[in-house]
């Protein structure tokens, strides 16, 4: 029987497994990470690679390693122009990826992986029995490290997508930003950092062929929530907030959704001034597809016609996990808030040896729970159990 089974092998699950084995001394043979992909961070690599990002939105102290300054030390050992950008010494995407691969290799984290998907969890003598697509696993404790994967698809787009219209979500599993024909006209729907990064990537290939369609003006925030949430002021205030409903309100208010980091916003504005990029502010009310062109009807009566539409609309904010987690909740009678998210204790225990991390832990850890740093935040809460 394992001591720990981590369900989800993305950024969160990989970080937690590293802490358990290489910081807290749990024998590697007693820890496993269950994930449908053969390689660590496969989904993360796919998603981030499709944005065209040049720099991370996180600071250099946020990474998968257990040593606080690991990424900074790696950066110093591999000096190169453009390794980071101010403020907060945000690392270059390629550098971050190289450090992550180095950490996974040096810490033997790939050896902890089991390929498969969870199908059900139940109690058994001394722990948990986890039914998976690859067989039954027994573990004393389970950590759910499940990220958001349900895409936010606007209602006007879904029927056209089903009929073969060239409307792609940036995070569609089979979408590849780097395989697009650059000569075609493109409308990018969205006003956040992903929309800006994709626009800059495409504009560099084919200037004046890209339009950003945004519902609001460009807004700047270097992070998707204030760094205050990683310190005692905001986190202490959050812990003193008594009800899940009030905590959800704080999380919603804290998120800088639809914003861009200052460097991306600067480059987008430069591209607009140089007429390499077009920006339209408006909201789509309906769309048509005919003669291999998509026509977008806006609320103000104007229209946009284009060869293709890219949706940079992010993820559905509903609780991740899907139907199998719904069944587990019903089976164990696990407590949830009105928003559907877990109500857990300070050890992130949801009940009966089931622990949570990432978005599932945000009512306990606050807005940063689902970010890169969320893996460390969750691991610190689990330390007392090792």
């Amino acid at each position: 029987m394992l001591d720990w089974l981590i369900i989800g092998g993305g950024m969160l699950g990989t970080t937690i497994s590293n802490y358990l084995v290489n910081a807290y001394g749990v024998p590697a043979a007693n820890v496993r990470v269950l994930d449908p992909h053969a390689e660590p961070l496969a989904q993360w690599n796919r998603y981030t690679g499709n944005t065209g990002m040049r720099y991370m939105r996180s600071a250099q102290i946020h990474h998968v390693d257990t040593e606080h300054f690991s990424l900074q030390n790696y950066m110093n050992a591999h000096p190169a122009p453009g390794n980071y950008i101010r403020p907060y010494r945000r690392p270059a995407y390629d550098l971050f990826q190289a450090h992550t691969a180095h950490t996974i290799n040096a810490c033997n984290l790939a050896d902890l992986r089991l390929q498969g998907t969870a199908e059900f969890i139940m109690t058994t003598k001394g722990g948990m029995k986890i039914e998976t697509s690859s067989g039954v696993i027994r573990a004393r404790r389970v950590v759910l490290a499940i990220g958001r994967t349900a895409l936010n698809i606007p209602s006007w787009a879904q029927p056209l997508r089903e009929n073969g219209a060239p409307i792609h979500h940036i995070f569609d599993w089979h979408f590849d930003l780097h395989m697009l024909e650059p000569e075609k006209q493109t409308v990018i729907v969205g006003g956040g950092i992903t929309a800006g990064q994709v626009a800059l990537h495409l504009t560099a290939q084919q200037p004046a062929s890209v339009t950003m369609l945004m519902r609001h003006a460009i807004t700047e925030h270097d992070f998707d929530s204030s760094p205050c949430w990683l310190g005692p002021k905001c986190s202490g205030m959050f812990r003193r907030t008594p009800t899940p409903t009030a905590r959800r309100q704080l999380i919603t208010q804290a998120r800088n959704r639809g914003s861009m980091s200052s460097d991306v916003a600067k480059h987008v504005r430069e591209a607009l001034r140089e007429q390499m990029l077009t920006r339209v502010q408006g909201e789509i009310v309906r769309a048509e597809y005919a003669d291999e062109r998509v026509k977008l009807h806006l609320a103000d009566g104007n229209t946009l016609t284009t060869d293709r539409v890219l949706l940079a609309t992010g993820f559905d904010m509903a609780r991740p996990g899907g139907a199998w987690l719904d069944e587990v909740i019903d089976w164990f009678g696990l407590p949830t808030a009105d928003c559907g998210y877990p109500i857990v204790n300070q050890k992130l225990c949801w009940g009966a040896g089931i622990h949570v991390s990432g978005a599932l832990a945000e009512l306990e850890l606050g807005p940063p729970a689902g970010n890169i740093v969320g893996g460390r935040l969750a691991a610190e809460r689990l330390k007392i159990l090792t």
Side-chain angles (χ1 to χ4, degrees), residues 197-308:
Q197 290 165 335
V198 171
L200 293 171
H201 174 85
L202 295 179
T203 298
Q205 299 178 352
Q206 188 74 13
S209 67
V210 180
T211 298
M212 293 185 69
L213 177 56
M214 308 169 58
R215 292 188 297 180
H216 53 73
I218 295 173
T219 57
E220 292 185 35
H221 292 283
D222 282 311
F223 300 112
D224 54 12
S225 62
S226 169
C228 172
W229 286 98
L230 297 174
K233 182 179 179 181
C234 287
S235 61
M237 177 268 294
F238 189 74
R239 285 195 299 272
R240 292 189 298 271
T241 302
T243 68
T245 299
R247 290 189 176 195
R248 173 58 61 198
Q249 291 174 345
L250 288 175
I251 292 169
T252 301
Q253 293 167 4
R255 288 196 171 118
N256 301 317
R257 298 196 70 188
S259 65
M260 303 181 191
S261 59
S262 55
D263 59 303
V264 172
K266 174 187 174 183
H267 292 310
V268 167
R269 290 190 176 104
E270 288 174 350
L272 292 171
R273 283 196 299 270
E274 295 170 5
Q275 298 184 342
M276 299 175 65
L277 174 67
T278 302
R279 174 182 171 273
V280 173
Q281 188 165 326
E283 185 165 1
I284 301 168
V285 293
R286 63 185 181 92
E288 303 170 5
Y289 178 52
D291 300 325
E292 299 185 344
R293 300 270 284 172
V294 180
K295 187 174 185 179
L296 304 173
H297 296 260
L298 308 185
D300 62 6
N302 290 320
T303 61
L304 286 174
T305 302
T306 185
D307 293 319
R308 63 186 170 216

